[in-house]
Amino acid sequence: MNHNDRLTRLRYALDIRDIDMIKIFEFGGVTVTKEEVREMLKKKDEENYEMELTDENFERFLNGMIISQRGPREGNEEPIFELHKGNANNLLLKKLKIALSLTSDDMLNLLDEAGVRVSKGELSAILRKEGHRNYKPCGDRYARNFLKGLMLRYRD
């Protein structure tokens, strides 16, 4: 799963309109047009999208989600970008947890609704900071099912 897949699934799960996508990107510090958003979401073949989403732009979108839902942070300093291919799913879950004000129990329920059983310890390991001794990388299966759980909750 790449960043465009994650963005497409998140957009569908939370039913985010194009105009709102543009605003979320702007909150994160990226200016995009409606056409660029559509190119990010449109596949040109089975594997590739018309416009590939970079690590930084995907993380900026996630930061914009937090700002759009919770407001700007005090101090307003520039965020440190920590996204790379190995931790994209972990960061996705962590930032959505913050943006949507979810508790760990909420996240466990969303995963359960999607048919995935995860213990509190496993979820805690996924949400830890990379480099922590109990950190566990999050696989695509967990991220996909978490987004499916969001879709089941927010679109029904």
Side-chain angles (χ1 to χ4, degrees):
M1 196 161 69
N2 65 25
H3 298 322
N4 295 74
D5 292 329
R6 291 178 188 95
L7 185 68
T8 302
R9 289 171 189 264
L10 179 59
R11 178 183 191 264
Y12 181 77
L14 298 178
D15 199 18
I16 304 171
R17 299 178 317 191
D18 287 346
I19 194 76
D20 295 329
M21 296 280 288
I22 293 167
K23 288 178 186 172
I24 292 170
F25 271 111
E26 285 177 4
F27 284 134
V30 179
T31 303
V32 294
T33 64
K34 198 174 205 175
E35 291 76 32
E36 289 174 328
V37 169
R38 289 187 177 149
E39 287 174 5
M40 289 177 209
L41 302 171
K42 186 176 178 187
K43 287 188 172 188
K44 66 178 165 183
D45 60 42
E46 194 65 33
E47 294 284 318
N48 301 309
Y49 286 81
E50 289 191 9
M51 182 178 175
E52 292 296 321
L53 197 55
T54 64
D55 290 346
E56 182 179 338
N57 283 349
F58 184 62
E59 189 167 0
R60 285 184 178 274
F61 179 80
L62 294 175
N63 290 339
M65 277 285 296
I66 293 170
I67 293 169
S68 74
Q69 298 299 309
R70 306 206 36 175
R73 279 179 79 174
E74 300 274 328
N76 210 13
E77 67 271 352
E78 186 66 25
I80 299 168
F81 297 105
E82 53 188 336
L83 181 67
H84 57 79
K85 298 289 184 222
N87 72 349
N89 292 328
N90 295 68
L91 220 55
L92 172 71
L93 267 60
K94 195 183 305 184
K95 292 197 181 229
L96 286 178
K97 179 181 189 224
I98 294 166
L100 302 174
S101 302
L102 300 172
T103 64
S104 292
D105 287 334
D106 292 335
M107 293 181 77
L108 291 171
N109 289 338
L110 287 170
L111 285 163
D112 191 45
E113 287 176 28
V116 176
R117 287 264 182 224
V118 180
S119 71
K120 278 192 175 189
E122 284 177 297
L123 182 62
S124 175
I126 288 170
L127 296 175
R128 291 199 184 278
K129 188 171 185 158
E130 193 172 14
H132 187 279
R133 66 184 176 93
N134 292 332
Y135 171 82
K136 178 184 173 191
C138 178
D140 286 344
R141 178 176 161 255
Y142 286 138
R144 235 188 327 270
N145 283 301
F146 178 75
L147 292 171
K148 180 181 177 183
L150 283 177
M151 187 243 341
L152 291 171
R153 178 169 297 170
Y154 287 97
R155 289 193 69 98
D156 281 351

